[in-house]
Amino acid sequence: MTRVHEHHVTNPATEERVATVPAAAPADVDAAVRRAAAAQRGWAAAAPADRARLLRRFADAVDGHLEELAALEVAEAGHPVTGARWEAGNVRDVLEYAAGGVERLSGRQIPVPGGVDLTLLEPLGTVAVIAPWNFPMPIAAWGSAPALAAGNAVLLKPAEATPLTALRLAALALDAGLPEGLFQVLPGAGDVTGRALVDHPGVAKVVFTGSTATGREVMARCAEQVKRVTLELGGKSPNIVFADADLERAAAAAPGSFLDNAGQDCCARSRILVQAEVYDRFLELLEPAVLGFACGDPADPATAMGPLISAAQRERVRGYVREDEPAAIRGTAPRGRGYWYPATVLEREASDRVAVEEVFGPVAVVLPFTDEADAVRLANATDYGLSGSVWTRDTARALRVARAVAAGNLSVNSHASVRYGTPFGGYKRSGLGRELGPDALAAFTETKNVFLSTD
Ligand code: NAD
């Protein structure tokens, strides 16, 4: 392979080099697309039960290496080990779930005059999955597993900072018996390897997860070839706390909703909207909960929050708020080596930049609201629409508000957004299309209509 350059993978908790990974040049992408096309033909022609069996074996291989995969995620992304174990388990579950869909991916028979009408769900061919660094392993699987299950080949480009779990997954797929070339990992820079994948005429669909700015560019380039695209982009999600909520529970759950993965989470509930009459009480309850969210060594199972991914990301977060600026609540973080940043809760105007833009760090803004209409207005005052939470004891109100918030994933008295069996994706500038859930495989097919005359 011709290599233009290589990437250094750094442990964000220690700043030590973990690995050096060669980057794929456009010529490598071209060769990979050709290998993928050859593998895909055989894969699509194989018996569905055999494809399902191989994907289950892949899931089993992941299950047999959960600790190793989790350790890689700790080393390259700085995720606390408990979260990293969940992520590896999520990859296994997503593969299992997709395998279950292979034999259930059926078209329809539609009543028509003069004959019989069938729809066939055909694989697209080769799918490129471009993943971000924040949840490298699960997000790689959310695109790759259903695409493979629907009969496609997959070329996965991990983010520059986090290629190690993706490379290991590709090796496990081969060990499990997936055909050579069917699932390839191509590490490299976004504007070289990523762009080469997006522009390659042999790639039928791009599944992109990352920032809204890059997603817009990917979509525009896909438009050149009318290429299929799924976009999972940024968020600025609301956590709406009504006065009638179980405030203790709501306050205890709030830190996890914006501090998990040090806030580098597209679903982070980084705008906490609290009804005015309980605003002070809620902040009183929130403070010990935030201070108790242990930030430190990711390898320690007691750790809830690790470092940010890089020095550049920390500078980005500091661009919104420096660690010495006044804050309503500020946690502690280790000093010295590592890209640490403390949990921070701010009281700011709704129009303040930090209350409007995605920070992608452990920073939330608390804003008061007067009534239900005001809460919905504030919740929707954003270009994003990925997720949101509603805390109330009034079930009718919970449903009214969940329906009124323009976002793809709402939770009531909970912050859970992601399940392999339910659809995930964004409204507005948070994305296009859905991943996971019962329709995941269909997003990787073309519908062909066939009419057979009976005359
Ligand atoms: P990013 O847009 O910089 O990069 C994402 C991926 O795209 C990387 O693999 C990168 O190398 C690649 N890339 C960059 N430029 C490219 C180009 N011109 N053509 C093709 N590929 C290119 O995003 P990031 O900083 O890695 O991730 C953080 C962002 O991801 C946040 O905005 C976050 O909200 C979002 N995100 C969204 C979801 C979701 O499901 N909605 C999930 C996780 C992260």
Side-chain angles (χ1 to χ4, degrees):
M1 269 197 184
T2 353
R3 298 291 184 193
V4 273
H5 60 285
E6 49 192 24
H7 288 296
H8 300 308
V9 180
T10 304
N11 183 325
T14 62
E15 300 183 36
E16 280 159 11
R17 187 174 296 177
V18 179
T20 299
V21 171
D28 301 322
V29 170
D30 193 47
V33 171
R34 270 186 268 121
R35 280 197 304 276
Q40 191 268 335
R41 283 190 285 277
W43 180 244
D50 291 339
R51 277 195 270 140
R53 191 170 302 115
L54 284 173
L55 287 174
R56 276 192 204 99
R57 277 194 200 142
F58 185 9
D60 289 346
V62 170
D63 194 50
H65 293 81
L66 286 189
E67 279 304 317
E68 184 198 343
L69 287 164
L72 286 175
E73 198 84 313
V74 172
E76 69 176 349
H79 290 189
V81 65
T82 29
R85 285 184 183 128
W86 180 89
E87 290 167 48
N90 180 256
V91 175
R92 172 204 56 214
D93 296 343
V94 169
L95 281 165
E96 282 276 356
Y97 186 72
V102 176
E103 291 180 277
R104 294 170 180 82
L105 187 61
S106 33
R108 303 163 80 182
Q109 181 266 308
I110 300 169
V112 290
V116 174
D117 195 278
L118 304 172
T119 63
L120 308 176
L121 300 185
E122 300 189 334
L124 301 171
T126 297
V127 173
V129 175
I130 301 180
W133 46 258
N134 64 334
F135 289 103
M137 190 167 25
I139 289 174
W142 298 354
S144 305
L148 291 168
N152 302 280
V154 170
L155 300 175
L156 166 63
K157 196 207 85 62
E160 292 87 323
T162 53
L164 300 183
T165 48
L167 288 165
R168 191 67 189 110
L169 286 174
L172 289 172
L174 277 182
D175 292 350
L178 261 73
E180 192 100 33
L182 188 72
F183 176 47
Q184 301 173 60
V185 172
L186 300 168
D191 57 0
V192 180
T193 316
R195 206 170 270 172
L197 280 165
V198 171
D199 290 346
H200 202 294
V203 170
K205 173 165 184 168
V206 176
V207 177
F208 172 83
T209 305
S211 60
T212 297
T214 311
R216 196 180 289 129
E217 187 200 315
V218 167
M219 189 176 178
R221 296 179 87 94
C222 283
E224 293 288 325
Q225 300 170 31
V226 196
K227 193 170 283 192
R228 280 70 183 130
V229 63
T230 297
L231 302 173
E232 299 288 0
L233 309 174
K236 189 74 184 175
S237 296
N239 172 12
I240 309 170
V241 183
F242 283 96
D244 71 349
D246 181 338
L247 289 187
E248 279 75 13
R249 256 188 79 201
S257 78
F258 74 95
L259 298 176
D260 185 44
N261 201 15
Q264 303 166 121
D265 181 344
C266 49
C267 287
R269 272 58 163 178
S270 52
R271 290 186 300 144
I272 309 177
L273 314 181
V274 185
Q275 198 157 14
E277 53 263 50
V278 294
Y279 184 87
D280 291 340
R281 175 69 187 137
F282 183 78
L283 270 187
E284 264 171 39
L285 292 166
L286 183 62
E287 182 163 22
V290 168
L291 300 183
F293 206 84
C295 178
D297 178 8
D300 181 348
T303 293
M305 181 170 115
L308 295 170
I309 187 76
S310 63
Q313 186 63 17
R314 185 167 59 183
E315 277 319 299
R316 191 183 124 93
V317 176
R318 282 177 177 159
Y320 288 95
V321 51
R322 301 199 70 83
E323 290 99 311
D324 53 6
E325 277 178 43
I329 305 172
R330 176 164 281 127
T332 54
R335 291 175 187 280
R337 292 179 80 76
Y339 310 120
W340 304 98
Y341 189 95
T344 303
V345 177
L346 303 168
E347 291 180 280
R348 295 282 194 275
E349 295 297 320
S351 57
D352 202 285
R353 206 174 135 244
V354 71
V356 173
E357 295 177 18
E358 182 179 49
V359 176
F360 231 49
V363 178
V365 173
V366 211
L367 297 162
F369 67 84
T370 51
D371 56 14
E372 191 177 312
D374 194 34
V376 170
R377 180 190 63 75
L378 269 173
N380 285 335
T382 171
D383 288 336
Y384 291 115
L386 189 55
S387 52
S389 306
V390 187
W391 291 78
T392 175
R393 286 190 171 96
D394 179 339
T395 314
R397 165 149 60 201
L399 272 177
R400 273 198 310 274
V401 174
R403 292 171 80 166
V405 174
N409 308 273
L410 271 295
S411 358
V412 174
N413 297 328
S414 159
H415 294 300
S417 294
V418 172
R419 277 162 240 87
Y420 59 82
T422 57
F424 178 77
Y427 278 39
K428 302 194 277 185
R429 294 189 194 175
S430 285
L432 187 74
R434 293 292 178 271
E435 298 192 284
L436 304 174
D439 302 324
L441 273 60
F444 295 99
T445 63
E446 287 287 6
T447 301
K448 180 178 282 173
N449 194 71
V450 179
F451 170 71
L452 291 88
S453 169
T454 47
D455 291 340

